Amino acid sequence: MSDIEFSHKSATDFIRKIIREDLASGKHQQIVTRFPPEPNGHLHIGHAKSIHLNFGVANEFDGYCFMRFDDTNPVKEDEQYVEGILNDVRWLGYDWGERLTHASDYFERLYEFAEEMIQKGKAYVESLNAEEIRELRGTLTEPGKDSPYRVRSVEENMTLFRKMRGGEFEDGSHVLRAKIDMSSPNINLRDPVLYRIRKVSHQRTANQWCVYPLYDFTHGLSDALEGVTHSLCTLEFEDHRPLYNWILEEVSAPCLPRQIEFSRLNLRYSVLSKRRLIQLVEEEHVEGWDDPRMLTLSGLRRRGYPAAAIRLFCERIGISKSENNIEMNVLEDCAREELDKTAPRVMAVLRPLKVVITDYPKNETEEFEPARHPKNPEMGTRTLPFSREIYIDRDDFREDPPPKYFRLAPGKEVRLRFAYVIRCNEVIYENGKIIELRCTYDKATRSGVKAEGRKVKGIIHWVSIQHSVSAEVRLYDRLFAAPYPGRDDPERDFLKDLNPESVEIISKCKVEPALLEAKPEDVFQFERVGYFCVDSKKSRPEALVFNRTVTLRDTWAKLEQEKNPQN
Ligand code: ATP
Ligand code: MG
């Protein structure tokens, strides 16, 4: 297991309770779990919940966790996703060691189990087509009807199934079904399909197979073959549990894993289904799977979320069976907490306004050495040059300041962070627009030297013009404007709920020269502005691009409050 700190050792959710009981009673000596993604898309924050649970539980109880690709559908799967998924899990801080497996590793064993079921009279070859099968299946209120092929003999079934495997039949002409109960109130038990013919190449087994097992048949048996003790999955599989157990009991499975369901994670103002994420990517509503607005693990990473923040989030939301619609600020708060501890501080001016300090010597440069982090002296210092001409943020100056405005205004004073107190004496306009401020400074107020009797409430950030570096900054907002995209009206396309203002690009920012050393994915706190990450795809040393990871404070709580005052 990896060396990350697991701080959820004291978690007491219902799954850990069951596991503790199973260990105490001696039912299991070692806990085995698995994380079983289907390689038909990249991982999202919902998967992180499952990864954190499966690997977390294994680590906590000194067991192990398989990283298993559930690759039974050759049509939808793609090798490109496999590498991405492994990268994402590794990045999140988890290590499967030697235990990287695929459902397709077990195709031969699964086929043998299928023959065993036929031998025992527990499976039959169905020759109705999909439409006819559906018609006989019944509904939630009406029982299904037996297929005429249900009475085939074991010999006939065996011959047909072998011919299916041998490639003698066309796609859709036959399937293998479990023989359970067509009148079961649980539709999953109405003779579910176990195998179908698919004459397509599989990304791992190539053309070795033309029959492929279905999920329900594959999953439990793969669990059993790996010695999984607790098969943890999301609630939509609850109705499949009787089938999961039935299959394991009908064949000579090496062990009987226990399936336990928990609720899926949903985040308001986002979508987490792979089908929808694929649509966003394919129709180019976003720049790709790793678009910083996507709640995919690669998107969050590119946005600047540290893996530790995602683990903290998973810990905080916990595990239960109740609906799990989480507010985005819970996730954002985790990023703030983590980044407050780890992100170096710098100054960056997003909307520059020129300030000339008229009484500062013309060709002089001073160098300040502020700490990179106020609470972590071991992070060292950086060199911050100061000169006669600086930029401040346009937002930090008001011609007609409202009461209690503590930043710069005509005739008013403000402290430049780490430098001096300046006073604004003159405002220069061009075509009615403010283009420059003329200020004077007070030499006695050099940072660290307390000037007597001087009360200056405001502190603002700045950069020296001559030493500053240009940068582009991307401010992100939620990708969707509605809390449950496409939900309230089933006819409504979730794309209609896309937030048209989910990104604002500010191209003429000025940042302090320490950022020239920044590497892709480094995250900084731009003082007073927020946390920003060097974009791993677009940023170059000569043209820096930053993604805003998160604001310093939760600005949405306030907005929501204004929109829904009853909350
Ligand atoms: P989606 O519905 O997003 O397409 P999926 O469930 O089909 O996802 P899989 O690749 O089958 O995706 O998922 C692998 C594991 O991750 C499964 O055990 C699944 O239950 C779990 N998982 C997927 N989405 C979530 C979620 N939102 N919250 C918690 N666990 C999830
Ligand atoms: Mg799935």
Side-chain angles (χ1 to χ4, degrees), residues 36 38 40 70 215 236-237 264 274:
E38 191 181 340
N40 60 355
D70 183 4
Y215 176 86
E236 69 272 22
F237 292 103
R264 288 179 93 76
K274 268 188 268 179

Side-chain angles (χ1 to χ4, degrees), residues 133-145 181-190:
I133 292 176
R134 203 173 310 121
E135 274 167 20
L136 291 181
R137 188 177 291 135
T139 62
L140 285 173
T141 49
E142 281 168 55
K145 293 193 191 83
D181 178 4
M182 285 307 291
S183 58
S184 170
N186 183 341
I187 294 190
N188 293 299
L189 294 179
R190 294 185 191 166

Side-chain angles (χ1 to χ4, degrees), residues 34-40 43-51 54 70 85 215 219 232-237 262-266 272-275 277 324:
R34 86 287 169 266
F35 172 63
E38 191 181 340
N40 60 355
L43 300 182
H44 52 63
I45 184 88
H47 292 111
K49 175 175 177 174
S50 174
I51 296 168
N54 280 295
D70 183 4
I85 290 172
Y215 176 86
H219 200 80
L232 312 176
C233 62
T234 35
L235 276 174
E236 69 272 22
F237 292 103
F262 61 94
S263 52
R264 288 179 93 76
L265 166 67
N266 289 301
L272 289 186
S273 111
K274 268 188 268 179
R275 192 174 47 78
L277 295 177
N324 205 202

